[in-house]
Amino acid sequence: MNDFIQQVQFNCQIAAAGQVGFYSLCGMLLRMRQLYKWEQNLLPWQEGDPKAVLDWIETQEESWSGLEETGLQDLPLNGIRLDPFSVSELNDLLLPEGLAYGAGYTHGLAPTCFLGELWEVQKRRDLTVFILGPELARDLDGSPAMRQGQIIYLRTEPLAFYLWDNLSDPTKQNNFFLKIALAAQGIDLTSLVNRPEEYQDQFQTLLQAQGEAMIHHEIGEALEPSLQKTFAVIIGRLPHTRVERYVRALKDTLADLNDWGRVQHLLEQRNLPGLALLLAWRPGFYPYLVPELEPAFWALQKSRDWNVMHQARQEALERLRRTAAELDQVLAELAEKSDEELATALDNRFIKPLGL
């Protein structure tokens, strides 16, 4: 098993080297900071010595040099060598050992992989959910939740980093939705950020709620019928473009809004803090794609009528499914165009009307 773990760790180095160029400077620094904390066994709110961090970054950059074009290596396990993307076969051998492995592709079609202790296995519909604890290997990506086929991974260590980084981000601490979410749970953000050790019960409650919401996002993504073929075409033809980011966001919003997704789950639970956090941390295109949710939330705050939110979810879902169908049609019509022409046409048709 030691040889296997070491090879996964090396593959994570290879994956990280390939991911470096796909993040903004801010995104890269955030992920480097998380990776450092993970390697040093620091809690999300603990910071390393600045000089030690800089020395570590230099060492990492040196270790990644020359690995950018290297593919993930086969993994030795139980006397055989397995393809690093043979996730099901690898997990058949690892689950009895209390471990779970994941590998796939992240932004820009860069490879990603991780290995962690398996805390729990759940069945949701026809999907299997692996809840991971401490991780033995990871790369820069650190997505808290992801789906590969019929398997959903919830990674509790990256989730804790994600949650803390959003809570402690000074640019987000005056967000009205964040204040509503925390006030509803009796949490003072300033106190939490300044004295996190005293608020571990509240932090763990937030962590569990966010994890459950993310699982429902992944379930929604697995069951959403829209963009099945279009997504793969866009990712393959137009990586690293604004169109790719738009289509990823469209896919994510559909997953959140459909009958199996995160928003419906929060509405069924009448989880006001969860809805507020969703609105507080909407990334990129999200606010432009789903403008219905914010006014519906304020109406809910005023009237306590949850039907307002249910109606907004349904209206947004139907509209975005029409957008997805239109995108399918336009992509088919422009299939013979060059990648540059296709990107320009899709940007003009779908993104610029959003005012972007």
Side-chain angles (χ1 to χ4, degrees):
M1 186 61 72
N2 286 339
D3 289 345
F4 170 78
I5 294 172
Q6 289 175 8
Q7 186 61 65
V8 176
Q9 290 170 340
F10 181 64
N11 276 355
C12 286
Q13 288 282 80
I14 294 173
Q19 294 162 5
V20 168
F22 299 124
Y23 300 120
S24 66
L25 178 59
C26 180
M28 180 63 182
L29 290 174
L30 176 65
R31 287 166 176 82
M32 290 284 280
R33 182 165 160 261
Q34 291 179 355
L35 186 60
Y36 174 82
K37 290 183 179 183
W38 170 77
E39 283 198 4
Q40 302 301 315
N41 294 313
L42 297 177
L43 295 170
W45 44 86
Q46 293 177 323
E47 301 294 339
D49 173 73
K51 183 179 185 306
V53 174
L54 290 174
D55 290 344
W56 176 87
I57 290 175
E58 184 177 349
T59 301
Q60 287 297 310
E61 290 175 341
E62 290 175 358
S63 69
W64 293 338
S65 178
L67 294 177
E68 297 89 341
E69 303 300 323
T70 304
L72 302 190
Q73 306 296 299
D74 287 348
L75 298 172
L77 187 59
N78 289 8
I80 58 176
R81 298 191 69 84
L82 295 168
D83 186 292
F85 296 104
S86 297
V87 175
S88 295
E89 191 174 355
L90 284 160
N91 278 323
D92 285 343
L93 300 173
L94 290 169
L95 296 186
E97 304 296 328
L99 299 173
Y101 170 80
Y105 294 92
T106 184
H107 296 285
L109 293 181
T112 182
C113 57
F114 55 89
L115 176 69
E117 294 181 11
L118 181 62
W119 274 2
E120 187 178 352
V121 179
Q122 300 178 358
K123 284 291 184 181
R124 307 285 187 99
R125 296 180 180 271
D126 294 328
L127 302 165
T128 300
V129 180
F130 290 163
I131 299 180
L132 274 59
E135 299 192 351
L136 306 178
R138 58 157 290 180
D139 53 32
L140 272 175
D141 181 63
S143 298
M146 62 182 294
R147 179 181 62 88
Q148 296 171 317
Q150 297 300 104
I151 298 175
I152 294 171
Y153 298 87
L154 181 68
R155 304 169 60 191
T156 58
E157 279 191 337
L159 176 59
F161 286 125
Y162 164 84
L163 181 59
W164 177 255
D165 286 341
N166 276 284
L167 290 171
S168 61
D169 185 344
T171 67
K172 300 178 181 179
Q173 289 182 4
N174 288 322
N175 184 287
F176 287 118
F177 295 111
L178 179 58
K179 290 181 178 179
I180 290 170
L182 297 182
Q185 299 179 75
I187 301 173
D188 178 72
L189 181 58
T190 301
S191 299
L192 172 63
V193 170
N194 291 334
R195 302 190 304 277
E197 295 85 358
E198 298 177 16
Y199 289 84
Q200 279 310 289
D201 289 344
Q202 294 92 329
F203 185 79
Q204 289 302 318
T205 298
L206 286 171
L207 196 67
Q208 291 172 9
Q210 281 294 294
E212 185 64 22
M214 288 184 175
I215 288 173
H216 279 274
H217 170 86
E218 299 301 328
I219 294 172
E221 182 180 272
L223 300 179
E224 174 58 40
S226 306
L227 299 176
Q228 293 292 327
K229 295 181 180 179
T230 293
F231 182 74
V233 172
I234 294 296
I235 299 306
R237 290 192 59 179
L238 304 177
H240 328 311
T241 65
R242 192 161 81 148
V243 173
E244 181 204 4
R245 295 193 296 274
Y246 168 82
V247 174
R248 285 186 181 276
L250 179 58
K251 187 168 178 282
D252 282 340
T253 52
L254 285 165
D256 269 353
L257 291 169
N258 66 28
D259 294 346
W260 315 279
R262 172 163 53 168
V263 174
Q264 178 64 12
H265 163 71
L266 294 172
L267 294 180
E268 289 174 351
Q269 299 291 317
R270 296 202 166 191
N271 186 339
L272 186 70
L275 284 171
L277 280 182
L278 182 148
L279 291 168
W281 297 336
R282 291 169 292 173
F285 286 103
Y286 205 113
Y288 302 95
L289 287 170
V290 198
E292 294 92 341
L293 291 186
E294 184 169 336
F297 181 87
W298 293 124
L300 169 63
Q301 277 280 93
K302 184 177 181 180
S303 68
R304 296 298 170 176
D305 181 2
W306 284 85
N307 288 325
V308 175
M309 285 299 303
H310 282 286
Q311 182 178 351
R313 180 195 73 85
Q314 190 63 42
E315 290 176 355
L317 175 62
E318 292 173 359
R319 178 178 54 77
L320 290 179
R321 280 182 171 164
R322 291 194 296 271
T323 299
E326 182 184 357
L327 179 58
D328 291 341
Q329 180 181 351
V330 172
L331 186 61
E333 293 171 355
L334 301 178
E336 301 303 319
K337 297 289 186 181
S338 70
D339 291 348
E340 183 177 354
E341 290 172 323
L342 178 62
T344 300
L346 294 179
D347 196 294
N348 289 336
R349 181 73 167 265
F350 294 98
I351 301 178
K352 287 186 178 177
L354 298 175
L356 299 171

